[in-house]
Amino acid sequence: MNYNGIFLLIFIDLLLTYRNLPTIQSYWFWGISGTIFLLLFSFSNYSLLGVFFRMPSLNTYLDFLPTQSRSLLVFFNNFLVSLNLITFICICLGYVIYILNRTHTVQSKLHSMQKANDELKSYAAISEKIAQDHERKRIARDIHDTVGHTLTGVAAGIDAVMVLIDINPEAAKTQLQKISTAVKQGIKEVRQVLNQMRPDALKSYTLESALSKMLKEYSDISHIKIDFNYEWGDANFQKTTENIIFRVIEETVTNSLRHGHATKIWIKCTSNNSSYILSIHNNGKSETHIKPGYGITQMRERLTIINGTVEFDGKKGFTTVVKFPKVGV
């Protein structure tokens, strides 16, 4: 009972063995273990036991031994006590250094991952910008090749008609027919360009089916939950309107994932007597101060084409409400 420091080594061995316990279990485990070892360490000490039990100390036994033997045993006893404490302290310091190094390593990896994530975001933004520039150039080229050439021919034809109308009315009439044919062909080519800009999903499906397909793909890829409620029935929208609604929903869902880090999105397509209403809400980050960026500006510009409006609410997640009038109402 004169040497109870072994309990300290047993406790530190237990600590190193079960250091990876889950947080909730570790509170109970280490609380009970610490209490037990504290009681064992205290009750095994001669200074405490000697109060309750009649038992001689180690020095009493050593006094009966020869001087040389007594000195050796006292030295050996003190050496064991000192070695035990030094070992315990060194293990504790080593474990603390190990925890600090591991924390530093984790922080370094997190910093590297954050840096890589920022670089990926920058790369994605640059790629998106390049894609947008390419798309704009392609559209500008198509419009130049169709509308530009058609309008140039129409302008030249009208100039010719202005000259012929007084000299040869019949020739002027023939020229007007040619201009009419050129205008109709130009309209046809413009529609072909617009159809090329139409989302692929809308080329083969109805608006409801195309939206359902697109949202399912988003859900499968990102594992985000999307509640889609379509109450527009058999509403016969123009192709331009379908394109705009499709792009608005696509842009909003993308922003919910990229910026809002949402886990669930609610999409409702409802209507009243005069308007169609599109409501999109997500449970992501709230934003009280909304600064219109490229996406929001593009959304508003698209909706202007169909006389639509959009409102945003950044409280309790993020909500986008789109309204556009019914045709003929």
Side-chain angles (χ1 to χ4, degrees), residues 90 99 183 190:
C90 290
I99 293 296
V183 169
V190 169

Side-chain angles (χ1 to χ4, degrees), residues 39-51:
L39 292 175
L40 289 174
F41 185 78
S42 300
F43 285 110
S44 62
N45 189 286
Y46 172 79
S47 300
L48 183 62
L49 290 176
V51 177

Side-chain angles (χ1 to χ4, degrees), residues 193-212:
V193 173
L194 293 176
N195 286 332
Q196 292 176 1
M197 296 168 57
R198 186 173 173 83
D200 292 336
L202 288 174
K203 294 179 181 179
S204 305
Y205 301 94
T206 62
L207 177 60
E208 180 181 3
S209 300
L211 289 173
S212 299

Side-chain angles (χ1 to χ4, degrees), residues 1 3 51 61 97 102 126-127 215 238 253 258 260 280:
M1 296 303 169
Y3 178 67
V51 177
Y61 290 99
I97 294 173
R102 188 173 68 173
I126 294 172
S127 299
L215 295 174
Q238 294 181 356
V253 172
R258 183 185 301 172
I280 306 174

